[in-house]
Amino acid sequence: MKNKVQLITYVDRLGKSDIKGLDLLLKNQFKDLFGGVHMLPFYYPIDGEDAGFDPIDHKQIDERLGSWADVKELSASVDVMADLIVNHMSAKSPEFQDFLKKGDDSEFAELFLTFDTVFPNGATEKDLIEIYRPRPGYPFTKVKFDNGQERLIWTTFTTNQIDIDVHSKKGIDYLESILVEFQKSGVNMIRLDAAGYAIKKAGTSSFMIEETFAFIDELTTKAKKMGIAVLVEIHSFYKTQIEIAKKVDFVYDFALPVLVLDTLFNASAENLKNWLNVSPRNAITVLDTHDGIGIVDVASENGEKGLIDDATLNAIVERMHENSGNTSRKATGAAASNLDLYQVNSTYFEALGKDENAYLAARAIQFFVPGIPQVYYVGLFAGENDMDLLAKTNVGRDINRHYYSQDEINEYVETSFFAKFKQLIILRNTHPSFNGEFILKESSNSILNIRWENDRQWSELYLDLKSIHLKITYSNRDKTDSLY
């Protein structure tokens, strides 16, 4: 994976309607901005209950977006990342429909997790309470089979996302077949979606247990033999994230988004600096994604202190809501359907009160901390909360999933803000210092000073948090240049 800024986007929400259009956009208006693109689920169908994360057919590209040949063509110019949805498939899939029709006589019966698969001798109250689920209620859905029998099916997320048994022969073959399709089509990196929930075991939380690490390791080994790198997507306590990072190619730095907000809101980099002293270096850094802004990643757990104390964290969440004019409240918690408990649903620009100066500073921090930066398409446009889409779908995360028209893109790329943002992206992509040594310089907590050095080449960020005054300098042959 190139050490350059990556784009994460839905194919059909960025002006163009298909993969070929995205390819053209990256080669023209976004030329030189991205070393790779993470295309969010482009499988059939893209407009399911969870925006493609509930595929009926994981190996079929939604024909509205194009074909595997189009993915192959795109991979000729940029790295391509795709989601391997390891935990579940759609209730509308042919495999599950066959299971409903034939029950245990179905050839796919072993593919799906039922209550009694995990609890063959029944479950105690303690067993059920220990199960970790990021949403209200228990991860089971009562399903009626064609013969009239009713059974409990394991559904970690929604009733349309049926959990699969990844250790069954059918489960193993299913995931391997997707990897083969990816390899043939030029996908050179995968994100293991919801991997932390893939293994269920009686008497445990069924989240990031020992067997989960083993499963991730096995799948990563298979992928790497095929020339595919692996990014693991886990929202969890920060110490868990550090341990996960030791065992995989890449992890997300999900702690960074709230730590940057803390830094800017409270004019203190103390918590951020503490994290940068221990944070994984094999990270994909983000400020925003297609999901909400994660809170659990910096919070305390079971009485153990998090990266930000609980009182300060609560104040940050409240500030985010206030900055958005309280629009984020309408999309967070119990206010809208299909929501995670540990996230605030808002664009990052709105969370910063639509302050362009603070937003540019936030992106500069992201680009200067260790890791490969990934920019979400709404974040690329400094997007605002899409209340119309939220009202239409009543899905909280849709507040941050705007459909941009080509006219909106044409207008935005001419703005002075985009010109500054573009300069920052290009510096991060091209300056050799970012392939060198990361140095967190000593300073007061009201100052954030980060430097990169690679032989005689260097770049430096200096941010006065009291005034949000940003200064970026860098070597240019034998002289010093300034970006801002």
Side-chain angles (χ1 to χ4, degrees):
M1 186 179 191
K2 299 182 185 73
N3 184 19
K4 295 183 176 182
V5 179
Q6 309 287 306
L7 174 68
I8 175 172
T9 187
Y10 293 98
V11 175
D12 62 332
R13 303 191 190 206
L14 196 53
K16 308 296 184 180
S17 60
D18 55 25
I19 297 169
K20 288 183 178 179
L22 175 61
D23 194 10
L24 288 172
L25 190 63
L26 292 172
K27 290 176 178 175
N28 292 288
Q29 286 173 297
F30 296 158
K31 181 177 172 58
D32 299 325
L33 295 189
F34 302 106
V37 58
H38 174 188
M39 293 191 295
L40 288 161
F42 46 86
Y43 322 115
Y44 172 72
I46 57 171
D47 50 3
E49 292 180 17
D50 196 20
F53 283 96
D54 47 353
I56 291 177
D57 190 338
H58 204 317
K59 292 185 291 183
Q60 177 186 340
I61 293 182
D62 193 304
E63 62 182 13
R64 291 167 289 183
L65 301 184
S67 65
W68 286 112
D70 296 330
V71 176
K72 184 73 171 179
E73 184 176 345
L74 176 65
S75 72
S77 55
V78 293
D79 291 334
V80 174
M81 187 191 307
D83 286 281
L84 179 57
I85 302 168
V86 299
N87 184 69
H88 52 261
M89 65 170 64
S90 174
K92 299 175 183 176
S93 65
E95 294 91 340
F96 189 67
Q97 289 299 309
D98 189 79
F99 181 42
L100 289 181
K101 182 178 180 180
K102 301 176 183 176
D104 289 337
D105 292 331
S106 168
E107 64 176 300
F108 302 108
E110 68 173 32
L111 182 57
F112 301 103
L113 280 174
T114 63
F115 179 87
D116 54 10
T117 304
V118 182
F119 300 107
N121 300 315
T124 65
E125 182 179 47
K126 182 175 183 293
D127 288 331
L128 296 177
I129 288 174
E130 283 190 356
I131 297 171
Y132 175 73
R133 187 180 189 232
R135 301 182 182 193
Y138 289 102
F140 307 108
T141 298
K142 185 171 70 172
V143 172
K144 190 171 185 177
F145 287 72
D146 284 9
N147 64 2
Q149 181 186 21
E150 292 184 330
R151 298 175 69 178
L152 289 178
I153 304 295
W154 204 296
T155 51
T156 296
F157 295 100
T158 72
T159 57
N160 189 50
Q161 292 166 300
I162 309 299
D163 289 23
I164 63 176
D165 185 347
V166 297
H167 282 155
S168 68
K169 179 64 166 57
K170 286 290 184 182
I172 292 169
D173 291 346
Y174 170 73
L175 294 177
E176 288 182 352
S177 69
I178 299 169
L179 285 176
V180 170
E181 196 68 63
F182 284 166
Q183 182 190 42
K184 290 191 301 184
S185 304
V187 173
N188 60 358
M189 189 165 185
I190 55 173
R191 187 184 78 139
L192 300 185
D193 176 66
Y197 305 91
I199 306 297
K200 286 79 173 177
K201 182 180 178 181
T204 74
S205 67
S206 294
F207 175 73
M208 290 312 304
I209 58 178
E210 183 178 343
E211 290 83 354
T212 313
F213 284 107
F215 164 71
I216 292 172
D217 185 57
E218 291 168 8
L219 195 56
T220 298
T221 299
K222 291 177 183 178
K224 292 174 78 169
K225 286 181 179 179
M226 302 169 75
I228 300 173
V230 176
L231 167 65
V232 178
E233 184 250 355
I234 305 279
H235 281 281
S236 61
F237 186 56
Y238 80 94
K239 289 186 179 180
T240 304
Q241 196 74 290
I242 291 172
E243 290 306 308
I244 294 169
K246 296 174 183 177
K247 303 178 181 182
V248 299
D249 290 338
F250 293 96
V251 292
Y252 278 113
D253 186 347
F254 281 136
L256 186 64
V258 180
L259 284 167
V260 170
L261 292 175
D262 170 53
T263 299
L264 296 174
F265 288 171
N266 298 310
S268 172
E270 180 179 6
N271 292 326
L272 176 60
K273 289 177 180 179
N274 289 340
W275 172 237
L276 295 179
N277 285 325
V278 299
S279 65
R281 290 343 191 203
N282 56 330
I284 303 298
T285 67
V286 294
L287 294 184
D288 48 4
T289 70
H290 57 293
D291 290 332
I293 299 171
I295 303 302
V296 68
D297 310 276
V298 296
S300 61
E301 180 177 274
N302 298 325
E304 188 171 0
K305 185 179 178 181
L307 294 170
I308 301 174
D309 72 78
D310 290 346
T312 301
L313 184 54
N314 288 336
I316 291 169
V317 170
E318 187 63 24
R319 177 86 172 267
M320 292 164 65
H321 289 317
E322 291 174 358
N323 281 349
S324 75
N326 290 315
T327 55
S328 57
R329 292 189 198 277
K330 299 178 181 179
T332 299
S337 62
N338 195 23
L339 293 177
D340 297 302
L341 297 176
Y342 52 70
Q343 299 178 340
V344 172
N345 287 301
S346 172
T347 73
Y348 207 79
F349 186 56
E350 287 266 10
L352 283 168
K354 296 189 281 191
D355 182 329
E356 290 186 354
N357 186 49
Y359 186 70
L360 194 64
R363 287 297 176 186
I365 294 171
Q366 180 196 4
F367 290 1
F368 268 79
V369 301
I372 298 176
Q374 187 182 74
V375 175
Y376 182 52
Y377 79 106
V378 176
L380 177 65
F381 290 88
E384 300 180 11
N385 286 342
D386 190 336
M387 302 308 292
D388 290 338
L389 185 59
L390 175 64
K392 180 180 178 180
T393 66
N394 195 39
V395 173
R397 288 174 293 178
D398 278 348
I399 199 172
N400 188 30
R401 296 178 177 181
H402 181 67
Y403 287 83
Y404 285 94
S405 68
Q406 189 59 52
D407 286 344
E408 285 177 296
I409 294 175
N410 294 342
E411 181 179 345
Y412 176 71
V413 297
E414 298 299 324
T415 63
S416 59
F417 175 79
F418 181 69
K420 292 179 181 179
F421 197 0
K422 184 176 179 179
Q423 283 182 301
L424 180 62
I425 294 173
I426 291 175
L427 176 69
R428 178 61 180 79
N429 286 342
T430 60
H431 202 277
S433 64
F434 291 103
N435 292 312
E437 180 187 5
F438 165 78
I439 302 168
L440 183 60
K441 300 187 73 173
E442 292 289 336
S443 63
S444 69
N445 286 328
S446 63
I447 300 294
L448 181 62
N449 194 185
I450 298 174
R451 184 178 174 93
W452 285 87
E453 293 181 357
N454 187 359
D455 292 330
R456 296 177 61 187
Q457 302 296 317
W458 59 271
S459 58
E460 189 164 326
L461 174 150
Y462 183 92
L463 179 60
D464 184 332
L465 296 169
K466 291 183 178 179
S467 62
I468 313 296
H469 177 69
L470 173 66
K471 184 178 181 181
I472 294 176
T473 51
Y474 57 95
S475 61
N476 185 358
R477 297 181 181 176
D478 294 325
K479 63 177 183 177
T480 297
D481 272 352
S482 177
L483 191 62
Y484 305 125

